[in-house]
């Protein structure tokens, strides 16, 4: 067992491993190991190859590893899937109250530490346990439940069209800077009630404040100033938006509590969704399995999103948890006040739960992309909706989209909590802009194809199969099969009653009858237009 902490963290000997520790005998390299044998969770190696670093830590220490945060502050990184679940589901042992951190009390971590915006205690549900957590989180979840998801999808389609209009005539674009980084902020600003505050500076500040940079505190102040202005306006003039619902909730949140929770929802939803959109688009453009399955109808976009949440989760880690008392986790002795990091990406590739990383994870939502336990992300469905609907709209507008560089030329930016794709350059045939209020399509004058998903027929019942694309109709673009979410039941509109849709779904266009027209109306309602 290893223990990177002494009774006085921050001293010269705080990271010295005990005799017999796996860290003994490891070769020191400036980028990865400190002289006392501990690996840094920041710096070149952590930023350029975080998954490689996690596997080194797993090999050296097992499912829980001692690491160093910015400033060589000691912490534990939890790598195992079951260990992460136990930690997140047991707040009596591992609290979210950052005031328990021993390093804060002995001065090892200064108030201006680069990670201060992440760990500084605030009056929000993220840093609360027990009754306080229930009161504050209840206000958030109740307010999220009031969101009109159909209206949200309408905004997603409208903003997606607006963003694509900005570059559709150019024939090339960077989908990270011109789509993925902007769509979530545009939608979340609308949901929260501050669309007038949306600008490039807000996007930059939202990305910067959780990276642990020198400007993180300044970026946090910029975001909070905008949110505090919104709270003041809503106290005077309520509207139908998330900020108003928080201010009016029976939990009686103070202005400070409302502002802090608005920041929590805005930043968490924005960062995760921006990364998720970029990661899904990269997989669709580079992985033959996804491209073929999406165009062939055997995988919907929601299923592609779930696979991405396993392989490239938007947050690689979440900091942090703090030990309530001396305990043991993954064979390691954890002392009261120790800091722990939820290892999302590492847990998703734990050999215990994923011995074959190439196996399909369709239908399996046991990933930790949104953490777990009482602090599991309450807004994950909003993030999924933005990614599903936004990517579908993009692919419908630009069905011939192709990666403009070789996959190995793509570059990433790493930070403690996330790994972001720097650019995703693509090419496509130039197209004219479209009315942003209408449904996305490859041509502004072509009606969007209405896809129907149907179960395969038993072999004993022969039937004539119509061509998937009737004469005179354009071939369906990539992503069209994702028009209806995977979890929605799809009625069988073929001859006679049939079984519920199965995993091998086949798309086919249908014409005409009243039941089919009714189903198309339902599909249009779901998409929000």
């Amino acid at each position: 067992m290893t223990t990177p902490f002494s009774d006085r963290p921050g001293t010269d000997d705080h990271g010295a491993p005990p005799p017999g520790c796996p860290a003994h005998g490891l070769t020191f390299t400036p980028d990865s190991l400190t002289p006392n044998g501990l690996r840094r969770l920041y710096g070149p190696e952590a930023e350029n190859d975080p998954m490689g670093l996690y596997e080194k830590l797993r090999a050296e220490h097992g499912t829980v590893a001692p690491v160093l945060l910015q400033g060589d502050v000691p912490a534990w990184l939890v790598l195992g899937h079951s260990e992460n679940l136990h930690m997140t589901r047991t707040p009596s042992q591992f609290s979210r109250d950052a005031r328990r951190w021993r390093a804060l009390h002995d001065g090892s971590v200064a108030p201006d530490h680069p990670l201060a915006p992440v760990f500084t205690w605030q009056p929000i549900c993220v840093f609360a346990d027990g009754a306080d957590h229930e009161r504050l989180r209840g206000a958030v979840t109740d307010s999220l439940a009031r969101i009109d998801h159909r209206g949200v999808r309408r905004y997603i389609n409208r903003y997606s069209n607006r963003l694509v209009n900005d570059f559709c005539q150019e024939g090339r674009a960077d989908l990270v800077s011109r789509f993925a980084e902007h769509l979530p902020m545009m939608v979340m600003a609308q949901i929260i009630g501050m669309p007038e505050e949306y600008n490039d500076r807000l996007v930059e500040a939202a990305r910067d404040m959780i990276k642990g940079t020198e400007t993180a505190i300044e970026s946090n102040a910029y975001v909070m100033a905008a949110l505090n202005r919104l709270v003041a306006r809503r106290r005077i003039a309520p509207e139908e938006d998330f900020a108003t619902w928080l201010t009016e909730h029976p939990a009686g949140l103070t202005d400070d509590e409302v502002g802090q929770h608005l920041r929590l929802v805005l930043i968490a939803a924005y960062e995760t969704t921006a990364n998720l959109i970029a990661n899904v688009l990269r997989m669709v453009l580079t992985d033959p399995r996804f491209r073929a399955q999406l165009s062939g109808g055997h995988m919907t976009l929601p299923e592609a999103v779930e696979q991405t949440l396993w392989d490239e989760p938007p947050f690689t880690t979440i900091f942090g948890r703090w030990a309530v008392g001396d305990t043991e986790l993954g064979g390691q002795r954890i002392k009261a006040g120790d800091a722990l990091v939820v290892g999302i990406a590492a847990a998703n590739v734990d050999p215990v739960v994923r011995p074959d990383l190439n196996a399909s994870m369709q239908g399996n939502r046991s990933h930790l992309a949104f953490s777990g336990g009482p602090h599991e992300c309450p807004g994950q469905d909003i993030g999924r909706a933005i990614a599903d609907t936004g990517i579908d709209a993009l692919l419908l507008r630009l069905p011939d989209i192709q990666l403009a560089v070789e996959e190995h030329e793509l570059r990433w930016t790493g930070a403690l909590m996330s790994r972001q794709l720097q650019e995703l350059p693509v090419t496509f045939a130039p197209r004219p802009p479209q009315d942003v209020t209408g449904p996305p399509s490859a041509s502004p004058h072509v009606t969007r194809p209405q896809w129907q998903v149907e179960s395969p027929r038993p072999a004993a019942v022969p039937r004539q199969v119509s061509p998937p694309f009737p004469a005179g109709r354009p071939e369906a673009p990539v992503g069209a099969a994702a028009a209806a979410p995977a979890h929605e039941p799809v009625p069988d509109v073929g001859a006679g009653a049939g079984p519920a849709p199965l995993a091998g779904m086949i798309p086919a266009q249908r014409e005409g009858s009243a039941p089919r027209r009714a189903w198309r109306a339902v599909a249009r309602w779901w998409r929000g237009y």
Side-chain angles (χ1 to χ4, degrees):
M1 292 190 294
T2 59
T3 172
F5 313 109
S6 71
D7 291 335
R8 296 187 299 118
T11 59
D12 292 340
D13 64 347
H14 76 272
C21 168
H24 272 297
L26 296 175
T27 303
F28 166 66
T29 59
D31 289 346
S32 59
L33 290 174
T34 59
N36 55 23
L38 297 182
R39 293 190 182 274
R40 293 184 171 98
L41 209 56
Y42 68 98
E45 182 179 19
E47 294 170 2
N48 297 328
D49 185 19
M51 299 305 293
L53 175 60
Y54 301 154
E55 292 312 308
K56 289 179 183 178
L57 289 166
R58 201 191 308 270
E60 294 164 0
H61 302 285
T63 57
V64 179
V67 294
L68 298 174
L69 304 178
Q70 278 86 340
D72 283 354
V73 177
W76 297 97
L77 175 63
V78 183
L79 303 162
H81 189 274
S82 62
E83 287 77 11
N84 272 288
L85 282 178
H86 175 74
M87 176 176 63
T88 56
R89 292 175 176 176
T90 317
S92 59
Q93 286 184 291
F94 304 100
S95 172
R96 281 292 282 138
D97 190 339
R99 293 172 297 185
R100 295 179 180 272
W101 196 4
R102 195 170 61 249
L104 288 174
H105 299 296
D106 65 19
S108 300
V109 175
D112 60 350
H113 189 276
L115 293 177
V118 177
F119 66 73
T120 300
W121 185 89
Q122 300 138 39
I124 56 176
C125 58
V126 166
F127 292 102
D129 297 310
D132 286 341
H133 175 258
E134 292 178 4
R135 179 181 76 89
L136 296 171
R137 185 181 172 98
V140 172
T141 55
D142 290 347
S143 299
L144 287 172
R146 298 181 63 176
I147 294 174
D148 175 10
H149 285 251
R150 179 171 175 262
V152 168
R153 288 179 183 274
R154 183 164 54 249
Y155 283 121
I156 298 169
N157 276 306
R158 182 174 302 172
Y159 292 142
S160 296
N161 267 336
R162 182 183 301 176
L163 290 170
V164 175
N165 280 350
D166 289 341
F167 58 78
C168 64
Q169 299 180 88
E170 301 173 18
R172 62 187 305 112
D174 168 27
L175 295 184
V176 172
S177 64
R178 304 192 71 175
F179 190 81
E181 287 189 341
H182 288 274
L183 180 61
M185 183 60 76
M186 296 171 82
V187 176
M188 290 309 302
Q190 182 71 45
I191 290 174
I192 287 177
M194 47 183 279
E196 72 283 354
E197 294 280 2
Y198 166 77
N199 55 36
D200 290 342
R201 177 71 179 95
L202 187 63
V203 171
E204 294 169 1
R207 302 226 84 165
D208 180 59
M209 60 181 288
I210 65 171
K211 289 182 179 180
T213 63
E214 295 180 356
T215 57
I217 294 178
E218 178 184 349
S219 296
N220 179 63
Y222 179 87
V223 172
M224 283 306 306
L227 294 173
N228 288 334
R229 290 194 297 269
L230 173 63
V231 175
R233 291 197 301 270
R234 290 299 176 261
R235 289 292 190 191
I236 299 172
E239 293 189 14
E240 283 297 308
D241 53 40
F242 186 77
T244 298
W245 299 332
L246 276 183
T247 60
E248 296 178 344
H249 193 273
L253 273 62
T254 66
D255 284 1
D256 187 29
E257 289 175 332
V258 172
Q260 295 288 355
H261 281 92
L262 288 175
R263 183 189 71 153
L264 169 65
V265 172
L266 176 67
I267 301 304
Y270 167 71
E271 179 71 12
T272 56
T273 309
N275 289 343
L276 180 60
I277 292 174
N279 292 341
V280 173
L281 284 171
R282 183 193 66 82
M283 278 198 170
V284 168
L285 292 170
T286 61
D287 191 323
R289 298 173 305 163
F290 285 83
R291 187 95 184 192
Q293 286 182 299
L294 280 167
S295 59
H298 296 290
M299 175 180 285
T300 64
L301 270 175
E303 290 168 341
V305 168
E306 290 304 318
Q307 182 71 36
T308 304
L309 289 171
W310 275 101
D311 297 336
E312 287 283 354
F315 278 162
T316 52
T317 64
I318 293 180
F319 181 68
R321 297 294 192 279
W322 289 272
V324 175
D326 292 352
T327 186
E328 184 175 311
L329 182 66
Q332 305 285 19
R333 294 192 303 266
I334 311 296
K335 294 184 178 180
D338 281 359
L340 298 97
V341 180
V342 181
I344 291 175
N348 280 359
V349 296
D350 185 346
V352 175
V353 296
R354 284 188 74 184
D356 180 6
L357 296 180
N358 294 319
S360 171
M361 302 303 289
Q362 287 189 40
N364 188 336
R365 283 196 173 189
S366 59
H367 56 73
L368 294 180
F370 299 105
S371 190
H375 289 277
E376 183 175 359
C377 176
Q380 56 188 273
D381 289 340
I382 295 294
R384 283 188 174 97
I386 296 174
D388 293 346
T389 309
I391 294 173
D392 186 43
L394 171 70
L395 296 179
L396 281 163
R397 288 286 304 273
L398 308 173
D400 58 342
I401 195 167
Q402 298 288 337
L403 192 64
V405 298
E406 296 297 325
E407 183 179 359
H408 70 267
E409 297 180 59
L410 297 176
R411 296 291 180 264
W412 305 79
T413 299
L416 173 63
M417 295 179 62
S418 64
R419 180 171 178 257
Q420 300 162 0
L421 191 62
Q422 291 182 2
E423 294 181 334
L424 190 62
V426 296
T427 58
F428 48 87
R431 288 173 172 80
Q434 292 186 15
D435 179 3
V436 298
T437 61
S441 65
S443 168
H445 306 296
V446 177
T447 303
R448 175 179 176 139
Q450 298 297 334
W451 287 96
Q452 191 63 42
V453 178
E454 184 175 312
S455 300
R457 299 289 182 181
V461 183
R463 68 184 180 96
Q464 186 174 357
V465 180
S466 301
F469 304 105
R473 292 185 178 247
E475 178 171 326
V478 175
H487 62 270
E488 284 290 311
V490 181
D492 185 358
V493 297
L502 301 176
M505 297 184 295
I506 303 175
Q509 287 179 301
R510 301 299 185 207
E511 299 291 344
S513 69
R516 291 164 193 156
R517 289 195 300 272
W519 171 243
R520 285 199 290 266
V522 172
R524 286 194 298 271
W525 173 87
W526 173 259
R527 297 183 199 117
Y529 52 80

